[in-house]
Amino acid sequence: MIALTLTEIAAAVNGELHLHGTDSAETVVSGVVDTDSRTMEPGAVFVAKPGETTDGHLFVGTAVEAGAVLALVERVVDEPVTQIVVPDVVLAIADLAREVVARVRAAGDLKIVGITGSNGKTTTKNMLATILRPEGETVAPKGSYNNAVGAPLTMLRVTHETRYLVCEFGADAPGQIGRLAGLVSPDVGVVLMVGMAHAGGFGGLDGTVREKSELVRAVRPGGIAVLNADDHRVAGMAPIADERQLEVRWFGESERADVRSGSLEVTATGTHTTVTIEGRELPLHLRVLGGHHIKNALAAITAAGALSIAPETAIERLETMELAERWRMQVLTQSPIRIINDAYNASPDAVAAALRTLAQITGPDERMVAVLGAMSELGEHSVEEHQKIGLLAVRLRIPRIVVVGQEARALYLAAVAEGSWSDEAVFFESADEAFEYLKTELRPGDSVLVKSSNAAGLRFLGDRLGESFS
């Protein structure tokens, strides 16, 4: 965080300052801001966030021992540290982030990109950060820091030397993207796609469209909206951009796209395509596994272009990437058994894309094995969407479908009903049971995809398989 006095921080969060020791109202604080006491270091600010299973106020002492000099709290804690008391620490860090980013922007040339979409946010964020970092100090979220806590904490990492801030905006309730993007008013807003991810929390796809479009509404006047030309729901946000007097730049496979991809060649070592920009054709070999990531790459190239980065430069830097993020199409082993761990997030679109990738990269003498868990936050659509994935797995002729967990049982039943005979589709209650089965079932030449939502926990099953067959 940039240097601020205690008075300035208290004013930004509308909090009550309780000084300790030799601190005064003019004492300057400039350390990291975080909710995790384990990440504290000398000069840090600890945010005592209440949680579902524990309460950050219980760890203020631990944070102080690690070097925290200020605690943002909802009640005074009996610990030897200056504290600022606010009604809600989550809202307070958002207010603090707004103040910090505004000061940095006013004093320099900070450019801000916001990214949202039902799928691909984290991958696209990492791709864009890879392109931007050689240009200057770039702040981007750790992992999927895209919610009401993670997004402001990312914003608070900016300094007066920061040239680019890349924000990832997710939502699990209506209005969240508008609130988060409104904290920084991005110069560039990227909308990747609208799908069933989190649709249960928005009342269906129409609600999801409204939520994602809030990023376009939040882009600052004179800014640029980067939209997916192939997704009619995203393309339908162009009138909002026009109302806001934003420039629209398109990406995708459509002829209308400003940054367009051609045919794909998908292999176990990456995806080859040609990117057309302003009439020029540029080859792209993306080492990140999965043809569906080409669309994310197009979005990153388009956003980089909006920041005056040449497409040749963007492509050259993208080709250095080997992994989008841990647990996202992460190839743990290639031989004798290929293990792909993609079990951090799973919407219906993402699972379908991963299954198609499995089919594309598996050779004629190899066997496909899909280890599938639940897709979360689908609400009333959950059973139907799991059934669709079961049908797709069978139609892709995947000979071993391993389904884990009761929440995914509809997937297993649909696969059986579609004609997955005998032990082609199997069901296990737990990841441990599935692991014991797979230890003896897998054989050299198998290509194994592990895919589920984060809540299902199969990413750890994928790691265990990787260790066992490395």
Side-chain angles (χ1 to χ4, degrees):
M1 184 181 71
I2 63 172
L4 295 173
T5 67
L6 291 172
T7 296
E8 289 172 325
I9 296 172
V13 301
N14 196 26
E16 183 179 304
L17 179 60
H18 294 257
L19 296 169
H20 173 77
T22 60
D23 285 347
S24 73
E26 299 307 309
T27 296
V28 174
V29 176
S30 61
V32 298
V33 182
D34 208 336
T35 58
D36 190 342
S37 61
R38 296 168 296 184
T39 67
M40 293 294 99
E41 55 189 47
V45 179
F46 178 62
V47 182
K49 185 180 77 70
E52 294 181 2
T53 58
T54 188
D55 185 347
H57 292 77
L58 301 175
F59 299 93
V60 173
T62 303
V64 173
E65 290 175 1
V69 297
L70 175 63
L72 194 60
V73 297
E74 295 179 3
R75 62 180 185 274
V76 175
V77 178
D78 185 18
E79 295 291 351
V81 66
T82 292
Q83 301 170 44
I84 296 177
V85 182
V86 295
D88 186 320
V89 296
V90 173
L91 295 180
I93 58 173
D95 289 336
L96 183 58
R98 180 190 291 111
E99 178 70 14
V100 166
V101 171
R103 288 183 179 229
V104 172
R105 193 177 228 164
D109 190 31
L110 176 67
K111 296 297 182 183
I112 302 173
V113 181
I115 300 171
T116 194
S118 297
N119 299 314
K121 295 184 294 297
T122 299
T123 298
T124 305
K125 170 263 298 185
N126 287 338
M127 288 178 168
L128 183 57
T130 296
I131 295 169
L132 296 178
R133 284 192 181 104
E135 302 293 321
E137 181 178 299
T138 300
V139 172
K142 299 181 291 185
S144 292
Y145 265 36
N146 61 22
N147 61 12
V149 175
L153 290 180
T154 297
M155 297 169 191
L156 286 166
R157 289 168 45 210
V158 300
T159 70
H160 287 296
E161 287 69 47
T162 303
R163 186 169 178 186
Y164 302 105
L165 169 62
V166 181
C167 296
E168 178 183 338
F169 298 125
D172 49 22
Q176 188 166 314
I177 288 177
R179 287 192 296 272
L180 293 176
L183 298 176
V184 295
S185 299
D187 300 280
V188 180
V190 182
V191 185
L192 299 169
M193 57 91 69
V194 174
M196 289 300 298
H198 311 295
F202 302 115
L205 282 172
D206 289 343
T208 305
V209 171
R210 287 192 295 272
E211 182 66 18
K212 302 303 182 186
S213 68
E214 287 303 304
L215 174 56
V216 180
R217 298 184 191 279
V219 173
R220 70 187 316 186
I224 298 173
V226 173
L227 304 179
N228 183 350
D230 303 331
D231 186 320
H232 71 276
R233 298 184 179 91
V234 176
M237 299 176 191
I240 300 173
D242 292 339
E243 291 171 11
R244 299 275 300 160
Q245 297 184 326
L246 307 178
E247 179 186 348
V248 176
R249 298 193 185 184
W250 301 95
F251 67 92
E253 300 173 12
S254 166
E255 286 296 323
R256 74 185 297 188
D258 301 294
V259 179
R260 186 173 71 252
S261 66
S263 59
L264 308 182
E265 179 187 355
V266 181
T267 71
T269 59
T271 304
H272 301 265
T273 190
T274 299
V275 179
T276 302
I277 304 174
E278 297 178 345
R280 291 177 295 156
E281 293 187 351
L282 304 172
L284 169 63
H285 172 55
L286 194 65
R287 288 194 278 175
V288 177
L289 187 63
H292 53 291
H293 287 311
I294 289 294
K295 192 70 68 70
N296 300 328
L298 297 179
I301 294 167
T302 310
L307 298 171
S308 301
I309 308 296
E312 294 90 347
T313 300
I315 288 173
E316 179 182 356
R317 292 171 183 171
L318 282 178
E319 290 183 334
T320 67
M321 288 187 67
E322 296 183 2
L323 179 66
E325 184 81 41
R326 186 183 180 192
W327 297 318
R328 287 174 171 84
M329 295 304 285
Q330 181 179 9
V331 181
L332 300 177
T333 64
Q334 280 280 17
S335 179
I337 297 173
R338 182 182 297 120
I339 307 290
I340 304 167
N341 195 351
D342 190 27
Y344 190 83
N345 275 324
S347 68
D349 294 307
V351 176
L355 288 173
R356 292 189 180 101
T357 297
L358 178 67
Q360 289 169 324
I361 68 172
T362 303
D365 297 325
E366 299 175 331
R367 181 178 67 157
M368 295 181 282
V369 179
V371 184
L372 305 173
M375 302 177 290
S376 301
E377 301 181 57
L378 295 175
E380 63 183 16
H381 307 283
S382 181
V383 171
E384 177 187 0
E385 294 301 325
H386 281 90
Q387 289 173 337
K388 288 180 180 177
I389 294 299
L391 298 180
L392 176 62
V394 175
R395 290 168 184 174
L396 289 173
R397 300 183 183 278
I398 298 176
R400 284 293 181 273
I401 303 169
V402 181
V403 183
V404 185
Q406 275 295 333
E407 291 185 350
R409 189 170 177 82
L411 191 163
Y412 163 73
L413 294 175
V416 172
E418 183 67 7
S420 185
W421 297 352
S422 183
D423 59 350
E424 291 179 353
V426 294
F427 174 81
F428 298 99
E429 292 280 354
S430 71
D432 286 341
E433 292 174 316
F435 177 71
E436 292 303 320
Y437 166 80
L438 290 165
K439 278 200 310 183
T440 58
E441 171 63 22
L442 296 182
R443 64 194 190 208
D446 284 350
S447 287
V448 184
L449 170 71
V450 183
K451 183 70 175 173
S452 77
S453 285
N454 191 14
L458 294 199
R459 63 193 186 282
F460 303 118
L461 171 60
D463 285 345
R464 291 176 70 187
L465 291 172
E467 292 170 2
S468 295
F469 295 99
S470 63

